[in-house]
Amino acid sequence: MSDLLFPHLQFGEDPTERIRCPVHGFIRYSKRERQIIDHWAFQRLRNIRQLALCSYVYPGAMHSRFEHSLGVMEMASRAFDTLVLKYPGLLKEELEQVPELREDTLKRAKQALRLLALLHDSGHPAFSHAAESVLPAGRKHEDISIYVMEKVLGSELDSIFFEGMAALLVRIMRKSPELIFLRQFVVGEMDMDRTDYLWRDSLHCGVEYGKFDFRRLIESLAVLKHPDTERLQIGIERGGEHVFEALLLGRYQMNTQVYFHRIRRIFDHYLTEYMELWGKDHYKNFDDVLQYDDLKLLVQMDTDSKDKNDRTELAKRIVGRKHHRVIYETGDSADAIKLGKIKRVFGLLKTEFKKVNFFLDDAKGSIHKLTTPGSQEEREGFYLVEKNGEMILITEESAILGKIPHEFRSVRIYADANSKTLEKISTRSSEIAKGI
């Protein structure tokens, strides 16, 4: 197998296995990695959809966190190899400071990165983010991913790869300073996690918003020393700033058009309420969370929809797709004025239409955390690297990035009524809003 044909294989164990992927073509992995892929803790991700019930809006959105995780592993490998080819000395000098990476530094570092990318989503509960609020002790899915790496797969990771691999992955997840550089490949402003899911989600939803030239993005990666910490940081070469702009524009559009679509949002609301009722009896610890996936919960919902219990009405809405309808909304840039107005509209509608069930949804999402000109808040610095090595904040050079909002906020009023009543409520909400 030629390194010229497959340069992303150069700095690790040669994979002998492969799997087809609609985004990347073939994804290759080693026999040792296959032992992790075949483990039930990773196979479980086959039955956890990437976008929960988004298929109610976009029927093709049936893809899973299993294929996404494989995709992140592939992209992180390509990105790592690109930077090793450009900066072998810098990367080796940085990474050999990590005790577990002092021998075979680049090979071990790449293997750790591939496993990090593969397992970063292993702690997602059934229905992913919609069920995050019901996890034991108020924890997040990242905490369960750490549990998987440390407790569920810890002995396998150490015996299959090298002693200390599990602890190394846990330290990366917990943002240990000497490992921030490796973490950036999977979690950062230009990471391979969001690069894969933007493309993959766009493909399966049948939209174009999240598609950008990720191959150019990877080829444009650069490495620099952070001006404050002197630690290595990922940046981008001059000429790559436009594809970085495309990534953030794609993130903005996918959030507003897909991830926070009005119907997706109402079903996420039902899922959250259902999971809060169901989870209090079933999610006692992390092991409980790992025993369930979307399929098992959908079967439970179907059973509940035919039963009579505190989950029945929510189950009927989810299974039968009987959802509230939007009758008034602010758009994607709700400020304090618009928020105040819609809350007053919501209150008056509830007073006038006492028999109608209303729901106010305040949807907020983050687009980026970059420091931009004129911003009063200190945020993250992402750097453009000139050919002479000079570093410039990318937001100082880009005319586009400064105009992409850091967050978006869309507030909607939903109502559950027949079509004639909904029309009346919609008309009345517009009248109230104009009078405020």
Side-chain angles (χ1 to χ4, degrees):
M1 187 177 295
S2 169
D3 287 339
L4 294 176
L5 290 174
F6 304 110
H8 57 292
L9 306 183
Q10 187 168 356
F11 301 105
E13 178 186 353
D14 280 346
T16 57
E17 315 294 302
R18 64 182 183 178
I19 189 170
R20 275 195 180 273
C21 170
V23 176
H24 306 301
F26 282 107
I27 293 175
R28 292 171 171 81
Y29 51 92
S30 69
K31 282 185 165 60
R32 292 193 299 169
E33 289 168 338
R34 180 167 183 166
Q35 293 180 63
I36 303 301
I37 292 170
D38 284 345
H39 194 281
W40 67 264
F42 187 75
Q43 288 292 315
R44 168 181 169 271
L45 298 182
R46 286 183 182 272
N47 295 329
I48 295 184
R49 293 181 193 170
Q50 182 75 7
L51 299 179
L53 295 181
C54 201
S55 59
Y56 280 10
V57 184
Y58 300 98
M62 301 290 287
H63 55 302
S64 70
R65 292 196 175 271
F66 177 87
E67 61 190 84
H68 163 63
S69 297
L70 288 167
V72 179
M73 180 179 71
E74 173 70 11
M75 297 200 77
S77 299
R78 295 183 188 183
F80 183 83
D81 285 347
T82 296
L83 290 177
V84 170
L85 286 168
K86 293 178 181 180
Y87 311 92
L90 272 179
L91 266 65
K92 189 173 186 298
E93 179 185 356
E94 173 86 5
L95 295 170
E96 67 184 2
Q97 298 175 41
V98 179
E100 295 91 339
L101 305 180
R102 283 176 185 154
E103 296 180 13
D104 297 323
T105 299
L106 296 179
K107 182 176 180 179
R108 283 190 168 199
K110 180 180 176 180
Q111 185 62 78
L113 175 60
R114 284 174 63 81
L115 291 169
L116 175 73
L118 188 70
L119 298 173
H120 78 285
D121 271 352
S122 58
H124 269 290
F127 299 116
S128 297
H129 298 290
E132 193 103 356
S133 63
V134 304
L135 295 180
R139 307 302 284 273
K140 301 294 184 183
H141 76 269
E142 292 90 351
D143 297 308
I144 305 183
S145 293
I146 290 173
Y147 180 79
V148 170
M149 296 172 188
E150 187 173 28
K151 303 296 185 183
V152 179
L153 284 169
S155 60
E156 284 92 339
L157 290 168
D158 286 351
S159 61
I160 294 170
F161 299 98
F162 56 80
E163 190 67 32
M165 174 63 89
L168 178 62
L169 295 178
V170 168
R171 296 211 316 279
I172 298 174
M173 290 289 291
R174 289 181 173 156
K175 306 179 185 179
S176 185
E178 78 277 13
L179 293 164
I180 291 296
F181 175 66
L182 282 180
R183 180 181 166 83
Q184 288 176 33
F185 286 91
V186 179
V187 184
E189 285 304 306
M190 190 177 64
D191 62 56
M192 298 302 107
D193 177 29
R194 69 180 58 181
T195 299
D196 183 86
Y197 76 62
L198 287 173
W199 246 91
R200 193 173 302 278
D201 294 349
S202 296
L203 176 68
H204 287 283
C205 288
V207 301
E208 302 295 319
Y209 309 119
K211 294 183 178 180
F212 59 96
D213 190 355
F214 67 83
R215 295 172 184 85
R216 170 64 169 161
L217 183 75
I218 290 174
E219 285 299 312
S220 300
L221 292 177
V223 162
L224 54 102
K225 288 196 174 184
H226 192 280
D228 297 326
T229 66
E230 290 294 309
R231 294 281 183 187
L232 287 193
Q233 176 178 323
I234 296 176
I236 196 162
E237 295 174 342
R238 169 69 71 180
E241 65 269 29
H242 304 300
V243 72
F244 181 69
E245 293 167 349
L247 183 155
L248 290 190
L249 283 170
R251 183 167 165 79
Y252 175 76
Q253 292 175 335
M254 285 296 285
N255 271 278
T256 57
Q257 301 300 311
V258 177
Y259 305 143
F260 287 82
H261 187 281
R262 65 186 185 281
I263 297 176
R264 161 79 189 271
R265 284 292 297 175
I266 192 62
F267 278 105
D268 274 357
H269 170 66
Y270 298 151
L271 282 173
T272 299
E273 291 209 326
Y274 179 91
M275 292 300 292
E276 286 177 352
L277 294 171
W278 180 88
K280 63 185 179 182
D281 297 322
H282 296 83
Y283 280 176
K284 302 298 184 184
N285 53 54
F286 288 173
D287 288 316
D288 290 341
V289 176
L290 295 173
Q291 296 309 308
Y292 293 94
D293 56 32
D294 293 11
L295 292 185
K296 292 177 181 177
L297 264 297
L298 285 170
V299 171
Q300 181 63 58
M301 288 176 188
D302 185 60
T303 300
D304 284 341
S305 71
K306 299 165 186 172
D307 199 356
K308 288 186 178 180
N309 58 46
D310 59 350
R311 304 187 297 267
T312 297
E313 290 306 311
L314 288 165
K316 283 182 176 179
R317 287 193 180 279
I318 295 168
V319 174
R321 295 178 293 111
K322 305 294 184 183
H323 61 88
H324 290 62
R325 308 284 173 167
V326 173
I327 50 90
Y328 188 78
E329 58 187 320
T330 61
D332 301 325
S333 55
D335 54 16
I337 295 173
K338 290 179 181 178
L339 180 62
K341 177 182 283 191
I342 198 170
K343 283 183 175 179
R344 292 178 66 186
V345 172
F346 179 67
L348 290 170
L349 288 176
K350 288 176 67 178
T351 301
E352 290 187 27
F353 299 88
K354 297 184 184 297
K355 294 183 179 180
V356 175
N357 181 263
F358 289 96
F359 169 63
L360 182 69
D361 178 46
D362 187 355
K364 292 179 270 187
S366 173
I367 305 302
H368 67 88
K369 299 176 182 177
L370 300 174
T371 300
T372 53
S375 174
Q376 299 298 310
E377 185 178 345
E378 187 175 353
R379 298 174 183 263
E380 295 182 16
F382 188 79
Y383 291 90
L384 185 68
V385 181
E386 300 282 10
K387 289 183 178 179
N388 63 4
E390 182 185 356
M391 302 181 306
I392 307 168
L393 278 175
I394 194 168
T395 47
E396 292 182 338
E397 288 291 297
S398 171
I400 293 175
L401 293 178
K403 294 180 171 59
I404 300 176
H406 290 98
E407 298 94 15
F408 76 92
R409 188 174 193 176
S410 179
V411 189
R412 301 180 176 110
I413 299 174
Y414 291 81
D416 184 23
N418 60 46
S419 57
K420 187 174 181 180
T421 303
L422 286 172
E423 186 175 346
K424 185 185 297 185
I425 295 170
S426 180
T427 301
R428 181 62 183 135
S429 66
S430 297
E431 293 172 350
I432 295 172
K434 288 177 182 177
I436 294 176

